[in-house]
Amino acid sequence: MIKFENVSKTYPNQERPALEGVNLEVAKGEFVFLVGLSGSGKSTFLRLVLKEENPTSGKIFVAGKDLSKLSGWKVPELRRQVGTVFQDFRLLPNKTVFENVAFTLHVLGYSQKEINREVPEVLELVGLEGYGDRRPSQLSGGEQQRVAIARAFVSHPAILIADEPTGNLDPTMSVGIMKLLDRINRTGTTVVMATHDSGIVDQMRKRVIELEGGLVVRDQVRGVYGYSG
Amino acid sequence: MRARFVMSEVGIGLRRNLTMTFAVIVTVATSLSLLGFGLLSNSQVGVMKDYWYDKIEVSIYLCGDLSEAPSCSAGKITIPQKDQIEQDLKAIPVVQNVFYESQADAFKRFQERFKDSAIAQNVTPDQLPESFRVKLKDPTQFAVIESAFSGRPGVDVVQDQRAILEKFFRLLNVLRNGALFIGLISVLTAALLISNTIRIAAFNRRRETGVMKLVGASSFSIQLPFLLESIFSAIFGWAVALGLLSGFKVLIDQRVAPLLTFTRFFGWDAVWIASLQLLAVGLFVAALASLITLRRFVKV
């Protein structure tokens, strides 16, 4: 689903590469944690998958497409296959929960009928049935993140990328979000989650890729956050 | 994206930015009106030229007893000379018609024109020159007549009324160019304001555009609402400008035209043509300013 072939990325005016010689492959339906300190290259990795940045060298394949051969106007097509969730939720404050989730479908050209069918379905999946008329400001952080996940997942993308989705949440809420991501993963969606939260990683026992200074220093099936020590 | 969704986003954008929308509409309205006044004054100059050039003639004054020009050294013009001049005039292609004014005719016209003045009492027919009044098909072809008849024996002087009007039209042209220049400058101002407004709107809505990017909207569909907003504002502004220009035309017809009877004024057709040109200018400027700004500030 995602394949990096000897990928390096050096940002302009910087000497040290943000990613260096990364080789890895994420299979369809996998759940992968991306761990590492700030500045280790996690964000760069995610930005490369979305083609928000281009690698300095190497090849990236996402959902069967060679990103180096993907022209600018086809990038939106790629992003439709990749749902994204962020630490800061990024909801639209003056739209209701329903409208926030429907926004994706509007942008993708769904009819109102399809929207009225799909949105309640996904709200139920994330555990927010009956919250459609509320505004983001009336929700807790965990609920807001559920809306964001609903928005990312409503169009059933092949890949879901989550950048520190529990970073702003307390542990109880985080557990709920992780259960939700796990449920989404079980529908066959590939999930890549960057995180600092060692508790979650240790608990989930999924594949862990650790980055350090732009290098992959660990790629472990059923891993934990750090070498136990 | 469905049209209804785009339209609702446009509506939200226009309402949320109401003061800026209002500023854009007012600026577009004033700048298009100014440009419109420029265009109308251009039509007015055209109308006046047609009107006046249609009326002006070339006068060929013939030698009388009082003439002092070298070509009059032989004294009063003879009848064969006169006949020859008339024949020659009629043979020139640019001449439309020739009218002979005798001393008696000139006297009558003089008495009429100055009937309330003491000068009329002191003039006798033999003091006034007889002349040929020549109407040209193309008033600019004066030189043809002048070269053929100026200095010819029996011809005192060849006078072109157009020379007097030319000065007047030169002044009008300056005024017209000034009006057009001011109009264009203010259209440029409107373009800059539109560009700035879009920058602000793009900044205000960076969340929305960010989300649209994330979920895979094409750059066109992200930029479309902004583009439509500025185009709607431009159309509103144009409608206001059209109202102002129509009001200007009504004012001229009702208040100015009865006072200034020496000329005709531009018609409604000039107003319609100018308003179509303004619409084209308004749409073009709004679209261009938006697209250039959006390319810089709303990227995928």
Side-chain angles (χ1 to χ4, degrees):
Chain A
M1 201 81 285
I2 300 173
K3 190 169 164 193
F4 276 49
E5 279 179 3
N6 204 19
V7 172
S8 296
K9 170 71 183 176
T10 309
Y11 287 104
N13 305 322
Q14 286 200 340
E15 277 176 33
R16 216 171 57 85
L19 279 183
E20 201 175 352
V22 172
N23 281 296
L24 59 83
E25 193 168 352
V26 178
K28 187 174 175 347
E30 245 188 309
F31 194 119
V32 180
F33 283 116
L34 204 57
V35 303
L37 301 172
S38 298
S40 58
K42 302 194 297 288
S43 295
T44 300
F45 181 90
L46 298 181
R47 291 171 68 78
L48 286 171
V49 171
L50 287 168
K51 202 170 159 73
E52 284 184 11
E53 295 287 347
N54 289 313
T56 316
S57 65
K59 281 199 160 193
I60 301 171
F61 298 86
V62 175
K65 291 192 191 80
D66 181 349
L67 296 196
S68 63
K69 288 184 182 145
L70 200 64
S71 58
W73 62 275
K74 280 200 158 174
V75 170
E77 227 168 90
L78 165 75
R79 293 187 187 154
R80 286 170 202 182
Q81 304 195 44
V82 184
T84 32
V85 177
F86 296 92
Q87 184 173 358
D88 56 356
F89 322 135
R90 301 197 188 174
L91 300 177
L92 303 176
N94 39 25
K95 288 191 190 292
T96 64
V97 167
F98 186 97
E99 288 167 340
N100 263 288
V101 177
F103 197 78
T104 306
L105 300 180
H106 276 303
V107 166
L108 301 183
Y110 281 53
S111 73
Q112 194 60 48
K113 210 174 116 191
E114 291 167 303
I115 289 171
N116 290 339
R117 192 182 63 229
E118 295 286 335
V119 174
E121 216 169 85
V122 77
L123 283 179
E124 194 188 329
L125 175 82
V126 301
L128 288 178
E129 59 267 64
Y131 280 63
D133 291 334
R134 304 215 192 167
R135 305 227 168 225
S137 56
Q138 299 170 302
L139 302 178
S140 72
E143 287 164 343
Q144 290 190 45
Q145 192 59 293
R146 286 167 190 270
V147 177
I149 291 171
R151 179 178 67 195
F153 188 64
V154 67
S155 57
H156 301 283
I159 301 169
L160 187 72
I161 285 181
D163 192 0
E164 310 264 5
T166 59
N168 276 348
L169 305 178
D170 63 42
T172 356
M173 284 176 176
S174 301
V175 170
I177 294 297
M178 290 320 297
K179 281 187 180 155
L180 177 54
L181 288 178
D182 192 37
R183 199 181 312 157
I184 285 173
N185 176 235
R186 283 172 206 279
T187 65
T189 310
T190 309
V191 177
V192 179
M193 171 170 160
T195 187
H196 276 126
D197 195 330
S198 54
I200 284 172
V201 177
D202 294 346
Q203 206 172 7
M204 298 277 290
R205 289 285 168 156
K206 301 280 189 188
R207 179 176 169 192
V208 173
I209 296 170
E210 184 175 351
L211 290 168
E212 198 181 302
L215 297 164
V216 175
V217 293
R218 176 163 63 114
D219 188 346
Q220 194 176 13
V221 187
R222 295 178 169 281
V224 292
Y225 188 82
Y227 295 111
S228 50
Chain B
M1 266 196 306
R2 303 283 166 129
R4 251 193 31 213
F5 179 67
V6 174
M7 285 305 148
S8 81
E9 289 294 301
V10 169
I12 291 171
L14 287 175
R15 260 179 286 131
R16 209 199 292 178
N17 238 354
L18 203 59
T19 49
M20 282 312 275
T21 307
F22 186 69
V24 170
I25 291 174
V26 170
T27 314
V28 169
T30 32
S31 62
L32 287 185
S33 302
L34 285 173
L35 187 61
F37 289 134
L39 291 172
L40 288 184
S41 55
N42 187 33
S43 315
Q44 181 58 21
V45 170
V47 166
M48 286 171 98
K49 269 188 181 155
D50 285 351
Y51 181 81
W52 285 102
Y53 282 174
D54 202 46
K55 298 232 170 336
I56 58 178
E57 300 157 331
V58 175
S59 301
I60 301 177
Y61 291 102
L62 305 175
C63 295
D65 296 327
L66 304 173
S67 303
E68 285 167 358
S71 52
C72 294
S73 54
K76 201 170 176 344
I77 189 168
T78 62
I79 290 173
Q81 275 176 331
K82 224 187 309 189
D83 289 346
Q84 188 60 48
I85 288 174
E86 184 162 9
Q87 257 180 41
D88 290 354
L89 270 174
K90 284 181 174 160
I92 296 174
V94 296
V95 170
Q96 194 172 23
N97 57 53
V98 178
F99 167 76
Y100 169 70
E101 189 180 66
S102 67
Q103 285 182 307
D105 294 334
F107 180 69
K108 228 182 347 192
R109 209 153 63 96
F110 190 89
Q111 293 290 338
E112 249 168 59
R113 184 170 294 177
F114 298 101
K115 65 173 175 262
D116 296 325
S117 160
I119 202 174
Q121 266 87 65
N122 299 330
V123 169
T124 56
D126 59 299
Q127 287 173 313
L128 295 171
E130 53 188 325
S131 63
F132 283 108
R133 308 263 149 162
V134 182
K135 182 120 192 61
L136 300 180
K137 284 174 190 155
D138 174 3
T140 59
Q141 294 295 312
F142 165 71
V144 176
I145 307 293
E146 187 183 31
S147 65
F149 295 97
S150 188
R152 181 166 164 162
V155 172
D156 186 347
V157 65
V158 180
Q159 196 188 64
D160 182 17
Q161 295 177 332
R162 196 167 146 264
I164 306 158
L165 283 178
E166 275 310 81
K167 278 185 197 155
F168 178 58
F169 280 125
R170 263 208 296 277
L171 175 69
L172 283 186
N173 282 342
V174 169
L175 292 177
R176 176 200 62 188
N177 292 344
L180 284 173
F181 181 71
I182 291 171
L184 286 175
I185 293 287
S186 62
V187 166
L188 186 68
T189 315
L192 293 176
L193 182 74
I194 288 173
S195 163
N196 264 317
T197 307
I198 285 192
R199 268 171 73 168
I200 293 169
F203 183 76
N204 283 343
R205 273 187 271 162
R206 61 196 185 285
R207 272 174 171 276
E208 278 88 345
T209 50
V211 171
M212 288 172 96
K213 268 186 233 176
L214 276 182
V215 301
S218 62
S219 32
F220 178 71
S221 60
I222 295 175
Q223 296 179 355
L224 186 63
F226 294 98
L227 181 64
L228 288 178
E229 274 167 52
S230 57
I231 282 181
F232 282 163
S233 305
I235 289 175
F236 267 118
W238 170 77
V240 174
L242 179 57
L244 285 175
L245 291 185
S246 303
F248 181 59
K249 166 69 178 153
V250 169
L251 188 76
I252 281 188
D253 283 353
Q254 293 184 347
R255 295 290 162 85
V256 180
L259 298 177
L260 303 179
T261 49
F262 59 83
T263 179
R264 278 192 296 128
F265 285 92
F266 58 91
W268 280 103
D269 54 335
V271 177
W272 302 139
I273 291 169
S275 67
L276 284 181
Q277 288 167 334
L278 293 178
L279 180 63
V281 168
L283 291 180
F284 178 74
V285 166
L288 191 71
S290 314
L291 288 174
I292 290 174
T293 315
L294 288 169
R295 270 179 77 92
R296 280 192 56 197
F297 292 97
V298 185
K299 272 189 229 146
V300 169

